[in-house]
Each structure stands twice: as C-alpha cells, then as structure tokens.
C-alpha cells in the first residue's frame, strides 16, 4: 500500500488553553508543538495562529514569523496554513497567509452550521475566489469537505474550470453541524470522489482514531491534532500533539503502512518540489 501522510492540526482557532493546556498561543509554543509532531511522523502541519492571549488571527505578519520559525526547526515539513481562520472572518482576512510564499493551504468547500449560532460561511463565490487566488499564487489546496454536498460542489466547480487537478480532499467529519464520522459516512465519501484523487480524514472528537484506522486500512491519509480532538482515549486528555501523532503511527504499524516523509508526501500529492531556500 502507499505510504501514509499524517497531518497534524496543532492549534485550530477554537480550542483554548482552559480546555487543553498544550494548545499553543505564542510563537515559541506553536513552533514546539509543530516540531514535536514532525518528529513523531507528521509530514504536514495544518496551521492556525493565535495572538499571545489566544485570540485567533489570520495576520500575515504573525503567520510569517511563525512559519519562518517552524521552518528553522523542521527543515522540510509541509506547512499548510488555514484559510478557514475563525468563524466570522472576511475573505480577505482569511486569505492573508496566502500572500506569503507557501506551498499548501486549506480551501473550505461549503457553508455549514458550526455549533450554537455560528455559521462557517463558504459561498460558491468564496470557493471560486479562494481557488483562483491559490492557483495564481501557486498554492496547492487541500479541499476541506464537511459533508457530501461539499464534494459534489467541488466536482461541479472542477468541471467549470475553477478547481484544478491534482485534487486532494480532506473529509472533516463530526463537526457539530456537519456530517458524522461513522464508518458508513467514511465509505460514502471516499466512494464519492474520483478514484485517482487522494484523500485524508480528520475525525472531530470521538471520531478521531476510529476514522484514522479506517483510512489507514483503506489507503487514505490521516489528520489528527488538538484542533480536532484533545483526548488520547475516552476521558483522558492527550499530553500534546505529539502523543496524538504517535498513536496514529502505532495504528499504521498494525496495518504495515509506512509513514511518508515530507518529500514522499509531496510526491504522493503531486506538489512540486518547493524551494525552501528562497521563502520569506
Ligand atoms: N476554524 C474553522 C472555522 C480550515 O482550517 O480551513 C475553520 C477551519 C477550517 O478550521
Ligand atoms: Zn483548521
């Protein structure tokens, strides 16, 4: 089977230190979480950044500082900034990290309820605008789909020329307002994308490791991290992002799935070799 790409979503925009003390806010904390996840086997770091007080921000300057510092410690890791940001942010605010020379970023593929009164807005025009902007900036999008309709929208937009090959999907399942992460949901989604496309699965909360295992078994890729889930097992907080990645590595061993290095991850996804010397 192909090698396994592990993405670690180290921070997110929603989880706070009061929920998990290892959620990174400062530059140093963020770099350390990224570094530990990388050492454990993550080849992609999905990155949200915060101000020192924990407020989520899409500030270009903050991303630049943190990306530069991560790059120093994790030479070849793929850094994947979020263009989702936090609920309520405008298009231009969300797209700020794509003004930095980066190789990959998320592209959210549809609107959904996000708990309580929150709505995570991604209109069709937003999706087209994000896709074209990333294309112009030579940034490889990870297509974040929270339910089946999002996949359908992307395949339609692909036909219309707004979404380009190679297409790499991320099924984010278990969000309050999105699709659940039961086994049937996983199979429905993976069978809904063209067979030549790649996919990764991010299970929110209790779905994290059951979906990771299914994806490992079926040749997909996996995202874990404190953005998605703070527990290593029912009722027990994970020590940090590293421990979550280590658990995926141990599941992969059970299925004889080797872990992809960042270089191998680029090859699997079809991302052009990135010139790290010249960034920033
Ligand atoms: N924080 C969520 C509102 C992404 O990174 O692209 C959006 C999110 C998705 O986390
Ligand atoms: Zn995110």
């Amino acid at each position: 089977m192909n090698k396994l790409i592990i993405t670690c979503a180290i921070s997110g925009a929603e989880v706070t230190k009061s929920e998990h003390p290892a959620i990174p806010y400062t530059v140093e904390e963020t770099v350390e979480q990224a570094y530990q996840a990388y050492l454990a086997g993550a080849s992609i770091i999905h990155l949200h950044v915060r101000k020192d007080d924990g407020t989520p921000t899409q500030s270009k300057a903050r991303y630049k500082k943190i990306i530069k510092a991560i790059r120093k410690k994790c030479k070849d890791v793929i850094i994947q900034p979020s263009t989702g940001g936090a609920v309520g942010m405008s298009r231009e605010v969300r797209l700020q990290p794509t003004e930095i020379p980066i190789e990959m970023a998320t592209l959210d593929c549809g609107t959904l309820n996000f708990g309580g009164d929150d709505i995570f807005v991604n209109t069709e025009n937003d999706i087209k605008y994000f896709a074209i902007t990333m294309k112009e900036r030579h940034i490889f999008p990870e297509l974040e789909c929270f339910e089946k309709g999002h996949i359908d929208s992307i395949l339609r937009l692909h036909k219309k020329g707004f979404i380009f090959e190679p297409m790499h999907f991320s099924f984010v399942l278990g969000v309050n307002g999105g699709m659940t992460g039961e086994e049937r949901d996983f199979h429905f989604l993976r069978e809904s994308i063209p067979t030549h496309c790649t996919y990764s699965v991010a299970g929110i909360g209790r779905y994290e490791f059951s979906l990771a295992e299914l994806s490992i078994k079926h040749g997909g890729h996996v995202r874990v991290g404190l953005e998605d889930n703070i527990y290593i097992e029912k009722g027990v907080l994970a020590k940090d992002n590293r421990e979550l990645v280590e658990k995926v590595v141990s599941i992969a061993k059970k299925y004889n799935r080797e872990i992809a290095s960042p270089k191998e991850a680029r090859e699997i996804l079809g991302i052009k070799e990135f010139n790290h010397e010249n960034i920033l």
Side-chain angles (χ1 to χ4, degrees):
M1 219 184 256
N2 61 349
K3 291 196 179 180
L4 174 69
I5 301 171
I6 303 175
T7 299
C8 189
I10 58 172
S11 45
E14 289 83 20
V15 185
T16 62
K17 273 194 194 293
S18 61
E19 293 160 281
H20 198 298
I23 283 284
Y25 290 171
T26 67
V27 175
E28 295 70 28
E29 287 168 351
T30 310
V31 173
E32 190 54 23
Q33 286 298 313
Y35 183 51
Q36 293 302 326
Y38 167 70
L39 290 180
S43 51
I44 302 178
I45 300 296
H46 171 63
L47 186 66
H48 289 251
V49 301
R50 312 282 187 107
K51 295 181 187 169
D52 284 350
D53 68 2
T55 312
T57 173
Q58 290 292 97
S59 151
K60 178 178 165 185
R62 186 72 166 178
Y63 264 103
K64 206 166 171 176
K65 195 168 179 181
I66 290 177
I67 290 173
K68 213 169 171 175
I70 293 176
R71 181 66 62 217
K72 260 198 188 144
K73 288 200 84 163
C74 321
K75 290 262 168 298
D76 59 344
V77 79
I78 299 169
I79 301 173
Q80 179 202 78
S82 167
T83 66
V87 166
M89 289 177 172
S90 69
R91 272 188 202 174
E92 294 307 334
V93 165
R94 285 167 55 178
L95 277 167
Q96 283 181 91
T98 67
E99 293 166 21
I100 304 166
I102 51 168
E103 57 189 322
M104 190 177 195
T106 53
L107 197 172
D108 294 283
C109 302
T111 296
L112 75 156
N113 283 339
F114 225 68
D117 289 326
D118 286 347
I119 304 174
F120 182 34
V121 176
N122 297 285
T123 65
E124 186 180 54
N125 285 345
D126 289 334
I127 299 166
K128 288 179 178 170
Y129 186 69
F130 278 53
I132 295 298
T133 304
M134 286 188 209
K135 173 81 172 163
E136 285 169 358
R137 295 177 182 170
H138 308 288
I139 297 168
F140 183 84
E142 177 171 277
L143 304 164
E144 310 276 310
C145 296
F146 298 80
E147 47 110 325
K148 164 72 161 53
H150 295 177
I151 296 177
D152 298 333
S153 302
I154 287 304
L155 297 180
R156 216 166 29 239
L157 289 174
H158 171 58
K159 273 202 193 128
K160 289 186 176 170
F162 291 97
I163 301 284
F164 310 93
E165 301 269 10
M167 289 187 282
H168 173 61
F169 291 84
S170 170
F171 307 144
V172 185
L173 302 181
V175 172
N176 179 5
M179 198 160 164
T180 60
E182 302 300 330
E183 181 163 358
R184 64 170 188 269
D185 301 318
F186 165 77
H187 291 300
F188 185 36
L189 297 194
R190 83 182 172 93
E191 286 163 7
S192 299
I193 61 171
T195 49
H196 67 278
C197 294
T198 51
Y199 69 88
S200 180
V201 180
I204 305 302
R206 68 190 173 88
Y207 293 113
E208 185 158 83
F209 292 110
S210 53
L211 282 172
E213 183 152 359
L214 278 170
S215 195
I216 288 167
K217 251 168 55 179
H218 290 277
H221 304 284
V222 171
R223 174 175 119 176
V224 289
L226 294 175
E227 171 172 347
D228 299 338
N229 163 54
I230 56 177
Y231 297 101
I232 195 72
E233 59 184 76
K234 196 169 184 224
V236 182
L237 282 183
K239 248 189 356 231
D240 51 14
N241 281 291
R242 181 179 184 134
E243 197 180 21
L244 296 170
V245 174
E246 283 170 348
K247 184 159 172 176
V248 175
V249 171
S250 73
I251 299 170
K253 267 205 188 108
K254 212 168 82 182
Y255 292 96
N256 292 320
R257 197 90 194 264
E258 285 180 63
I259 309 301
S261 67
K263 185 174 189 304
E264 289 163 339
R266 288 185 181 89
E267 283 162 14
I268 293 167
L269 298 177
I271 302 179
K272 287 202 189 72
E273 197 47 56
F274 196 62
N275 186 355
H276 299 294
E277 304 302 313
N278 291 337
I279 68 159
L280 305 176

